[in-house]
Amino acid sequence: MFDELIGNSRVKAVLKRMLVADRLPGALLFTGEEGIGKKLFALEIARALNCRTPKDHEACGVCSSCVRIRKLNYPTRDDADEWTQIIWTDHPDVGLVVAPKRVLRVEQMRQIEKEANFRPFEGKARVFLIDEADKLNDASANALLKVLEEPPRTSYLILITARPAMLLPTILSRCQMIRFSPLAPAEIETHLVKNDIDKKTARLRARAAGGSMGRALSGDLVTFTSQRKAMLKVLNALVLSEDRAQLLRSAEQLNEAQYKDEFEERLDVLETLIRDAWMLSLGVDTSRIVNEDLSTELKEIAQKINPGRAGDWILQIEDLREQLIVNVNKKVTTDSLFLVMAGDVAAGKRPKVR
Ligand SMILES: [Zn+2]
């Protein structure tokens, strides 16, 4: 049934090997950005372990165990108590915890430890998903250490996070990390078309999604289109002129309150535009770029871009993104990012953002 999951064939191969060899670690850590299917893979593992009629160590997908494991019984929004407990699937051996507010709580970890020590009620293995594992604080992480160190033979803990760097070393060292990659636009597009989304919309959504199926399904195309327009202006200002006034205006706009939530999305969009222009400047075919529908504009930019500098810009954006994780003042860093990038155009140096 792994073939029903989208993308990440390397991850599939690794997990499959572990299942076949009966050497699945008791503590796994699934990392990779939001919306690329980490939770679905974790549930698929739970199914493979508990399936009544497995085929070649994979879940059949249709037996009563398989069907019930897919169904997570999330509490209603306002039922505060239930969010602090294990949220069970329809199968008594498979459940998950999420952070009720900002942190995963000690009592949730204690409950997992207690439940992990029971033998399976019905299936062959008990499987517990810990979603948003980056929300473990010192106390809840410590409450988890013992069971993570040596899970009972029939119990498996799968921690899931998009931000592994936030986890304590004591947690990281006890888990086997499985890294998920962003999905390719083509993988997303195929899936959307299969789900009755028309080809043109599917293509645009897939390209706007930045590798995340979640975003492809929920993303807002109007916002994306306007973001792209704004960021194309920035790239033009960078490449076609040394128009510092325009760059500062763009930096300002990026910092405006109304775009606060979009800040990182806009950086992502800018990055894909730079990458595309860079690839075109190296003679890559337009069918391989992300913003294929903007190929005319991007080709014009590509003629004037210096490939070495484009590479630097991407490093500088990635630097900025790292700084944002530690909450550096957005305004200051964005201004300096754009000025450094502009300086790059003017002087041909390779300054760093920091
Ligand atoms: Zn089955």
Side-chain angles (χ1 to χ4, degrees):
M1 285 302 284
F2 276 146
D3 56 354
E4 272 191 15
L5 299 172
I6 301 143
N8 280 290
S9 43
R10 193 189 52 80
V11 168
K12 282 177 199 165
V14 169
L15 293 173
K16 173 90 187 228
R17 266 204 305 279
M18 289 172 170
L19 285 168
V20 170
D22 193 18
R23 301 188 70 150
L24 190 74
L28 286 159
L29 174 63
F30 285 5
T31 68
E33 60 178 278
E34 306 288 354
I36 56 178
K38 299 185 295 298
K39 209 185 296 167
L40 285 178
F41 271 77
L43 288 173
E44 195 58 34
I45 290 287
R47 290 167 100 190
L49 291 167
N50 284 303
C51 178
R52 296 178 173 187
T53 52
K55 297 198 172 72
D56 189 21
H57 298 273
E58 290 186 29
C60 73
V62 290
C63 74
S64 106
S65 288
C66 283
V67 171
R68 283 179 294 141
I69 287 171
R70 261 296 169 84
K71 195 167 168 287
L72 273 162
N73 296 304
Y74 285 108
T76 51
R77 190 173 282 275
D78 50 357
D79 199 334
D81 276 352
E82 286 188 32
W83 285 101
T84 64
Q85 315 267 321
I86 292 177
I87 297 163
W88 295 97
T89 61
D90 273 355
H91 192 289
D93 292 315
V94 181
L96 115 161
V97 289
V98 296
K101 285 202 178 115
R102 287 184 174 183
V103 289
L104 284 159
R105 300 207 192 155
V106 171
E107 63 255 39
Q108 290 177 296
M109 300 309 123
R110 294 215 175 109
Q111 198 194 356
I112 286 190
E113 181 177 22
K114 184 175 137 227
E115 293 288 344
N117 279 310
F118 289 131
R119 293 194 50 77
F121 288 132
E122 186 196 311
K124 299 182 206 91
R126 308 208 90 198
V127 184
F128 301 97
L129 279 54
I130 301 176
D131 201 8
E132 305 176 293
D134 47 282
K135 293 189 174 161
L136 286 163
N137 62 9
D138 286 5
S140 53
N142 282 328
L144 187 65
L145 286 184
K146 204 169 136 238
V147 64
L148 212 52
E149 172 89 32
E150 217 171 337
R153 240 198 82 69
T154 49
S155 288
Y156 297 84
L157 273 64
I158 305 179
L159 282 65
I160 297 171
T161 180
R163 288 166 286 275
M166 306 289 283
L167 267 65
L168 290 172
T170 45
I171 296 281
L172 288 171
S173 66
R174 283 167 171 80
C175 299
Q176 172 136 3
M177 196 192 292
I178 307 273
R179 287 190 185 82
F180 286 70
S181 323
L183 305 173
E187 288 170 333
I188 295 179
E189 190 183 323
T190 311
H191 178 77
L192 294 180
V193 170
K194 250 192 226 163
N195 283 276
D196 294 333
I197 293 176
D198 73 85
K199 188 127 183 87
K200 200 176 153 213
T201 312
R203 169 155 285 212
L204 194 56
R205 279 193 177 277
R207 283 163 201 278
S212 157
M213 185 62 75
R215 226 175 298 150
L217 290 168
S218 67
D220 163 5
L221 282 187
V222 177
T223 307
F224 172 71
T225 310
S226 83
Q227 285 174 345
R228 228 172 31 154
K229 210 166 147 193
M231 292 303 106
L232 195 63
K233 247 192 212 163
V234 170
L235 184 56
N236 254 309
L238 278 169
V239 175
L240 302 181
S241 67
E242 291 160 21
D243 189 349
R244 288 180 170 239
Q246 169 63 37
L247 277 174
L248 279 182
R249 272 198 302 279
S250 303
E252 238 161 60
Q253 201 191 27
L254 202 56
N255 283 310
E256 271 168 26
Q258 67 184 113
Y259 298 126
K260 213 171 115 209
D261 299 336
E262 293 180 26
F263 185 82
E264 292 189 53
E265 287 172 24
R266 285 179 170 240
L267 274 187
D268 289 345
V269 170
L270 179 60
E271 191 177 337
T272 65
L273 289 169
I274 295 174
R275 242 179 239 282
D276 282 352
W278 183 14
M279 284 172 77
L280 289 174
S281 77
L282 300 171
V284 169
D285 191 76
T286 47
S287 66
R288 290 188 44 206
I289 64 171
V290 173
N291 302 283
E292 195 184 351
D293 54 320
L294 294 181
S295 61
T296 315
E297 291 90 332
L298 286 167
K299 270 184 187 159
E300 237 172 78
I301 293 172
Q303 283 176 2
K304 302 193 175 136
I305 208 168
N306 173 325
R309 284 171 200 158
D312 282 344
W313 290 343
I314 288 174
L315 289 179
Q316 284 153 1
I317 291 178
E318 280 169 6
D319 260 7
L320 173 64
R321 219 182 261 129
E322 262 172 45
Q323 293 176 48
L324 290 177
I325 295 172
V326 286
N327 274 329
V328 170
N329 181 313
K330 273 182 192 169
K331 169 148 179 50
V332 174
T333 43
T334 319
D335 284 356
S336 84
L337 171 74
F338 282 176
L339 284 177
V340 167
M341 288 167 99
D344 235 4
V345 173
K349 287 189 212 126
R350 294 185 165 210
K352 280 267 169 198
V353 176
R354 280 191 201 108

